[in-house]
Amino acid sequence: MASLFPPSFETLIDRFASLPGVGRKSAQRLAFYILSLPEGEAEAFAGAITDARQRVHTCPVCQNLTDGPLCPICASGRRDNSVICVVAEPRDVASVERSREYNGSFHVLHGVLSPLNRVGPADIRIRELVERVSKGGVREVIMATNPDTEGDATAMYISRLLKPFGVLVTRLAYGIPVGSNLEFADDATMLRALEGRREI
Amino acid sequence: MASLFPPSFETLIDRFASLPGVGRKSAQRLAFYILSLPEGEAEAFAGAITDARQRVHTCPVCQNLTDGPLCPICASGRRDNSVICVVAEPRDVASVERSREYNGSFHVLHGVLSPLNRVGPADIRIRELVERVSKGGVREVIMATNPDTEGDATAMYISRLLKPFGVLVTRLAYGIPVGSNLEFADDATMLRALEGRREI
């Protein structure tokens, strides 16, 4: 006998176990937790899944997640649309916004180029970015992908695509993190920090 | 600004983050995964939650989880109801069944006594067990709680409650696990294995 749990409980365990990073044991624990919830809370959980899946889509302009016709940033009349900051994931938008300094628009790629994981240019939102730039009115594109091999390769690839449009393509500065300690800076970061040194 | 995610997406992240052992980062990853599902799959996930919560309840006899009037074991006419194996959690039923040797009935406590966590006798299904035994027809109660402080204390507490009914109360043998290596047996296990030695 495989299990002595009732079928509808097994189904719930299977569902949780299908989530990324959730093993069989955790799935069981989560399913037990759902049973322990008041019925209204369990309904609300189910509703949140349906709701998010139905309502959330990508902004037709910047590809960020939204549940309106445009995302709040693209819908706002107070952003500088001649600058586009390109990020890999929706969560990266919040990171850039945290600087409280950036007032341009965004473009979310939903991934980075990764030959090993079979992610090619057609699998992320590069075409949409090129279209935006080709329409004109864009002065600068800031590449804000992660400072790793795949992020760098993606930034390089996109910058080559955009060069023909005569747009300035920049990328975030590499260097020692503010508040960090020189002692803990790795070789690569220190090298980039030296290369990028500025007069004070 | 706290977040730039759409409200219905934030709600879903909150729901996942409310699950035990799921942090904010994991909750975000799970919510993204839900968005990436085909709509039918997301609906099925939501349905599994509602379904399990609505259908699954505890068996009125043994307190194990079931979605029928009785659990399959209590409903089966082929089990020996004069023996009750007492376990802490529904998943422990499967562990005992795995021996393929046990043919009695079960009783699921849904927890163990734990003064530190404020779990007292009224918080687990002890009353239901005493009622079952008091009705007569029970020959033996096998305590199969975990071999730790709380499991032992729970077994001890219950055995004292049941003694007045003249029922035999036993507990699973402690000892070296089959297929294990003496070298790795801890002191307590070795002591119990010596105490419980049997003639061959």
Side-chain angles (χ1 to χ4, degrees), chain B:
Chain B
M1 95 209 45
S3 162
L4 293 167
F5 293 131
S8 53
F9 191 68
E10 279 293 332
T11 305
L12 184 57
I13 296 176
D14 290 343
R15 286 285 164 189
F16 275 121
S18 74
L19 295 175
V22 178
R24 198 80 203 159
K25 279 260 157 105
S26 307
Q28 217 181 71
R29 201 181 61 231
L30 297 179
F32 273 116
Y33 178 77
I34 293 291
L35 286 198
S36 76
L37 289 177
E39 193 155 335
E41 285 294 294
E43 295 284 353
F45 201 133
I49 290 177
T50 316
D51 242 44
R53 181 61 190 78
Q54 283 176 348
R55 289 199 197 168
V56 179
H57 54 265
T58 52
C59 171
V61 178
C62 74
Q63 314 296 324
N64 194 4
L65 298 178
T66 183
D67 51 10
L70 284 180
C71 78
I73 293 177
C74 288
S76 149
R78 290 180 295 177
R79 309 284 299 215
D80 177 1
N81 288 317
S82 72
V83 182
I84 300 176
C85 178
V86 178
V87 294
E89 302 293 346
R91 61 174 165 269
D92 299 329
V93 170
S95 303
V96 176
E97 286 289 282
R98 231 177 282 134
S99 73
R100 292 164 193 272
E101 190 58 45
Y102 184 68
N103 192 39
S105 63
F106 285 92
H107 189 89
V108 181
L109 294 172
H110 293 274
V112 284
L113 298 177
S114 171
L116 282 177
N117 298 314
R118 297 190 186 177
V119 181
D123 301 313
I124 61 178
R125 313 278 171 103
I126 292 180
R127 187 174 52 79
E128 291 83 352
L129 174 62
V130 176
E131 263 170 33
R132 267 177 94 181
V133 173
S134 72
K135 283 177 189 157
V138 178
R139 189 164 44 87
E140 179 177 359
V141 173
I142 304 172
M143 297 304 308
T145 50
N146 277 326
D148 53 25
T149 319
E150 293 179 345
D152 283 346
T154 306
M156 201 57 72
Y157 179 88
I158 290 174
S159 75
R160 282 197 199 129
L161 281 184
L162 298 182
K163 282 282 164 61
F165 299 101
V167 67
L168 175 68
V169 182
T170 57
R171 66 157 303 147
L172 294 183
Y174 288 117
I176 313 292
V178 178
S180 159
N181 195 314
L182 281 193
E183 193 180 353
F184 303 129
D186 61 290
D187 306 1
T189 302
M190 186 53 90
L191 179 66
R192 301 298 193 110
L194 279 168
E195 283 172 357
R197 69 192 182 279
R198 298 170 74 175
E199 193 179 334
I200 50 175

Side-chain angles (χ1 to χ4, degrees), chain A residues 128-150:
Chain A
E128 291 82 350
L129 175 62
V130 176
E131 264 171 31
R132 267 176 92 180
V133 173
S134 71
K135 284 178 188 155
V138 178
R139 189 163 46 87
E140 180 178 357
V141 173
I142 305 171
M143 298 303 308
T145 49
N146 278 326
D148 52 26
T149 319
E150 293 179 345

